[in-house]
Amino acid sequence: FVEKYGPWALVTGSSAGIGKEFARQLAAQGLNLALVARRDALLRKLATELESTYDIQTRVIPCDLNQENFLEEISSACADLEIGLLVNNAGAPSFHGRFLSRSIAEMEQTLHFSIHVQLHLIRHFAEAMAQRRRGGIVQVSSISGNLSMPFMAEYSASKGYQLQLGESLHYELKDYGIDVIVLSPGATHSERINFGMQPEPVVSAALNNLGRLPSVIPGWRNQWTAFKRRHFNSRRQVVQVMGDFQRGRLQPPHDTID
C-alpha cells in the first residue's frame, strides 16, 4: 500500500469522524500523513498519537477550507512532500429543511465545500500523481448523492456531482496510473451524529476497494436502499418516497410554509 500510494497521504477533515478514521487506518498501513482541518489542537493531538503508535511522520496543516485561499495554504504547507494519496473528506454538514428557508449564502457554502474544494484539490494533486504515474484519490460523497432528496436539495445535488465526477475520473485517470474511488456512506457516528455505522467499516470499504471499484456504498442496508430506489422504482416514485421520508424529519421552523 505504501509502495502504491506513499509515502504521504493528505486527509482533509481529519480531526474527527470519518476523516480521523482514514488517518488512523492509513497510519496503520505505514503512510505518513498530512492532516488538514480547522482545529489545530485536535490535529496536533491526533498527530502525536499516530506518530507514537505507528512510527510514522505527520504534518499538521490547520486550514479553514471555507476561505478562498485554501488551496494556496495547503499546497504551500506540503510543497516539499510527495502526496501519493488524497482523501477528499471535508464537507459541509447536511441540512434538513425547506429550500426556501435557506439563504443563497448558506447554499453557496454547501456548494463551495462539496464542489469547489474537492474539485480544486483533485486537480492540484492529480497533476503530480500523473507525472509520477501512480497515486490514489478517495472522494468522500454520501448516499444522498445516489438519490434525489427533497428538503436536502442542494446538498444531495452536490453529492451527486461528487459521485459523477469521481466515477468519471476512476476511468479517465487510470491512463496515468491513478486509482480513484467514491465513498458514499450513509449515517455514520461522529461528533454530530450518534447513530448509523461506525467509522471503521466505512473507511475500510473505501481502502479495500481502491483500485478495484469506481464507487462503494458501505453497509448492506445502505446498499439495498440505494439499489432499491434506483432500480425498482421510477424516478417519480424515488422523489415521492424520499420526499415523504425527509418531510417526516423536518423540525421547526423548517416544517411549515409561511
Side-chain angles (χ1 to χ4, degrees):
F1 204 88
V2 174
E3 183 178 348
K4 176 77 172 174
Y5 303 115
W8 286 82
L10 186 144
V11 184
T12 66
S14 52
S15 61
I18 292 176
K20 183 176 181 179
E21 182 60 24
F22 264 112
R24 190 193 67 78
Q25 291 195 26
L26 291 173
Q29 294 272 16
L31 273 76
N32 301 316
L33 292 169
L35 304 172
V36 179
R38 287 179 303 167
R39 295 176 291 183
D40 182 57
L42 290 180
L43 286 181
R44 295 191 182 280
K45 179 181 178 181
L46 175 62
T48 300
E49 293 173 357
L50 296 178
E51 287 179 354
S52 61
T53 302
Y54 300 106
D55 192 27
I56 64 162
Q57 299 178 56
T58 65
R59 180 162 300 177
V60 171
I61 307 176
C63 178
D64 183 356
L65 296 177
N66 197 41
Q67 303 301 313
E68 286 298 324
N69 66 338
F70 72 91
L71 183 59
E72 289 79 2
E73 287 189 24
I74 294 173
S75 60
S76 175
C78 60
D80 60 325
L81 306 180
E82 183 179 317
I83 303 297
L85 180 64
L86 168 65
V87 179
N88 238 340
N89 168 71
S94 61
F95 171 83
H96 300 89
R98 293 188 178 276
F99 179 80
L100 294 180
S101 71
R102 297 271 276 169
S103 69
I104 285 293
E106 290 171 325
M107 294 179 186
E108 287 181 343
Q109 184 179 51
T110 295
L111 300 182
H112 171 80
F113 273 102
S114 297
I115 297 176
H116 185 80
V117 169
Q118 290 208 359
L119 179 65
H120 280 254
L121 288 173
I122 290 175
R123 181 62 182 81
H124 176 78
F125 287 104
E127 185 80 30
M129 293 177 191
Q131 293 175 2
R132 295 190 295 265
R133 287 298 193 269
R134 69 185 181 98
I137 298 169
V138 179
Q139 178 92 324
V140 180
S141 180
S142 164
I143 191 176
S144 66
N146 293 262
L147 306 165
S148 298
M149 303 283 278
F151 306 109
M152 292 180 63
E154 85 278 0
Y155 179 81
S156 64
S158 69
K159 295 301 179 180
Y161 171 87
Q162 293 174 351
L163 177 64
Q164 298 291 335
L165 176 68
E167 287 188 333
S168 299
L169 293 180
H170 168 84
Y171 182 92
E172 183 178 339
L173 294 185
K174 277 186 176 181
D175 292 347
Y176 303 96
I178 303 173
D179 295 331
V180 181
I181 191 169
V182 183
L183 174 65
S184 298
T188 305
H189 278 261
S190 67
E191 291 179 325
R192 298 188 302 263
I193 301 175
N194 61 0
F195 61 94
M197 293 183 66
Q198 293 296 326
E200 291 87 345
V202 171
V203 169
S204 294
L207 297 182
N208 291 342
N209 288 291
L210 181 62
R212 297 178 55 242
L213 299 177
S215 60
V216 62
I217 300 173
W220 69 267
R221 292 182 185 275
N222 295 327
Q223 294 166 8
W224 174 243
T225 297
F227 179 81
K228 179 174 62 175
R229 296 288 184 260
R230 295 185 69 177
H231 297 281
F232 291 166
N233 299 319
S234 69
R235 296 303 300 171
R236 179 185 63 80
Q237 290 173 315
V238 170
V239 173
Q240 184 68 42
V241 168
M242 297 312 299
D244 290 346
F245 173 74
Q246 294 295 339
R247 184 187 297 276
R249 301 180 66 193
L250 290 180
Q251 300 292 329
H254 303 301
D255 58 345
T256 60
I257 300 176
D258 292 336

